[in-house]
């Protein structure tokens, strides 16, 4: 699903809510519930596919393979992380073209240096604003006549303060960013101030366990937020459920069915087993 669908949603009055997806089962669950968009996080994509931290270990080939496969099965537009562009400006241009070709609706580009780090874990440091402005110009040029949205994320809040970060975001907007991602605001007052001062729609990262207050989408909308992503809620919940099962199994309790388990038959149906069975029946005589 291309950026056109996400642009159409942006034109409406409601906040756009994007839960995190980190593997295909989480994508199927999000599809089943139905959301405005889905968010493919570098942190959780790397964790799920590689078991590694979000410090730039995964590269373009990893991200396009994982996120492109998400886009092929998603019923909602995919917002996908692209870290700092995977290298120099040539790498960034290649990434924008590749994400767009894969059907990703919006590409998120950060103003950190390399190696990057999750803004809610380590002390992320932003490059000079001019370097990020160059990334924005390259991204716009690489997009060409396509409709992929460009998200500019700034991690400068923790090192340079809110005012400097808002100034950065507005510079990124002036140079082509469609959506402005303020990473790690630490209070409702900061979110409200930023939302009122930036010149393009603002995106807030409601990362469970992070620095930003977790609110409902409706509460964020009252603060002036246009996009909210919830990248960590589902994978943390799934990790806790898996840990509980493994601990119970180790203790000798293997038959804990019904204790929060998703229905096996429904999972099979979501994976498409009914279509396979129908195909086999239609061609049983072949």
């Amino acid at each position: 699903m291309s950026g056109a669908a996400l642009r159409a949603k942006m034109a409406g009055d409601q906040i756009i809510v994007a839960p995190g997806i980190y593997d295909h089962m989480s994508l199927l669950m999000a599809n089943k519930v139905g959301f405005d968009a889905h968010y493919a996080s570098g942190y959780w994509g790397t964790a799920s596919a590689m078991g590694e931290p979000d410090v730039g270990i995964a590269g373009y080939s990893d991200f396009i393979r994982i996120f492109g496969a998400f886009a092929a099965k998603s019923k909602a537009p995919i917002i996908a992380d692209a870290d700092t562009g995977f290298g120099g400006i040539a790498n960034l241009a290649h990434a924008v073209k590749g994400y767009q070709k894969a059907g990703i609706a919006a590409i998120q580009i950060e103003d950190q240096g390399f190696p990057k780090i999750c803004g809610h874990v380590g002390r992320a440091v932003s490059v000079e604003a001019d370097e990020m402005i160059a990334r924005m110009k390259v991204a716009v040029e690489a997009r060409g006549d396509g409709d992929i949205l460009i998200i500019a994320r700034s991690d400068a809040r923790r090192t340079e303060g809110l005012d400097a970060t808002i100034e950065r975001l507005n510079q990124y907007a002036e140079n082509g960013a469609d959506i402005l991602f303020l990473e790690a605001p630490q209070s409702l007052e900061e979110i409200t101030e930023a939302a009122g001062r930036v010149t393009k729609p603002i995106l807030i990262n409601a990362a469970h366990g992070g620095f930003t207050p977790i609110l409902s989408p409706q509460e964020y909308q009252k603060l002036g937020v246009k996009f909210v992503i919830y990248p960590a809620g589902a994978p943390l919940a799934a990790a806790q459920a898996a840990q509980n099962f493994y601990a119970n199994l180790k203790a000798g309790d293997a038959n804990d069915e019904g204790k929060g388990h998703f229905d096996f038959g429904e999972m099979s149906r979501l994976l498409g087993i009914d279509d396979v069975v129908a195909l086999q029946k239609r061609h049983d005589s072949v």
Side-chain angles (χ1 to χ4, degrees):
M1 188 175 294
S2 70
L6 192 57
R7 289 179 185 275
K9 291 177 184 289
M10 281 179 62
D13 295 330
Q14 297 302 308
I15 189 170
I16 296 170
V17 181
I21 54 172
Y22 57 95
D23 64 9
H24 278 88
M25 287 193 292
S26 66
L27 172 57
L28 291 174
M29 297 298 102
N31 275 342
K32 178 180 171 66
V33 175
F35 288 94
D36 301 314
H38 296 147
Y39 179 66
S41 158
Y43 183 107
W44 293 108
T46 304
S48 178
M50 302 173 67
E52 297 287 352
D54 182 25
V55 290
I57 292 173
Y60 169 76
S61 296
D62 302 300
F63 278 27
I64 195 66
R65 172 178 55 83
I66 298 166
F67 300 160
F70 289 168
K73 284 188 174 289
S74 180
K75 293 181 179 179
I78 294 286
I79 298 169
D81 196 349
D83 284 354
T84 61
F86 308 110
I89 57 174
N91 304 84
L92 172 59
H94 181 71
V96 172
K97 293 174 182 177
Y99 274 43
Q100 184 159 253
K101 185 177 180 180
I104 291 167
I107 182 170
Q108 172 196 310
I109 303 164
E110 304 170 11
D111 67 2
Q112 289 192 48
F114 185 85
K116 57 76 53 86
I117 193 167
C118 171
H120 291 270
V121 176
R123 193 167 179 81
V125 177
S126 297
V127 297
E128 294 295 328
D130 285 348
E131 184 172 340
M132 181 63 172
I133 288 170
R135 292 176 189 173
M136 292 295 98
K137 292 178 178 178
V138 168
V140 170
E141 182 178 289
R143 174 174 61 189
D145 295 330
D147 60 9
I148 192 170
L149 288 152
I150 297 168
I151 301 175
R153 169 175 141 178
S154 181
D155 285 82
R157 161 63 189 85
R158 293 178 64 201
T159 54
E160 299 179 20
L162 184 65
D163 286 340
T165 306
I166 292 171
E167 182 177 350
R168 278 177 172 267
L169 289 171
N170 283 332
Q171 288 180 298
Y172 305 160
E174 290 170 6
N175 288 278
D178 301 295
I179 301 164
L180 303 176
F181 183 156
L182 171 63
E183 178 67 308
Q186 298 182 19
S187 69
L188 305 188
E189 291 75 19
E190 287 191 5
I191 296 171
T192 302
E193 182 174 355
R197 291 172 56 190
V198 295
T199 57
K200 292 285 181 70
I202 192 168
L203 182 153
I204 294 296
N205 181 9
H208 290 78
F211 296 106
T212 301
I214 305 296
L215 306 175
S216 71
Q218 295 73 26
E219 289 172 313
Y220 282 121
Q221 182 170 9
K222 291 178 181 177
L223 302 181
V225 174
K226 185 61 180 179
F227 288 82
V228 58
I229 57 174
Y230 292 88
L236 290 175
Q240 185 63 58
Q243 178 174 278
N244 292 346
F245 174 79
Y246 295 142
N248 290 338
L249 180 61
K250 183 69 173 179
D253 181 7
N255 190 23
D256 64 348
E257 193 167 355
K259 298 178 181 177
H261 284 198
F262 191 81
D263 182 75
F264 176 71
E266 178 64 10
M267 176 59 73
S268 297
R269 287 187 288 274
L270 288 172
L271 290 167
I273 192 64
D274 289 347
D275 293 335
V276 175
V277 171
L279 177 68
Q280 291 172 337
K281 287 182 177 178
R282 288 198 304 273
H283 299 277
D284 188 49
S285 62
V286 177

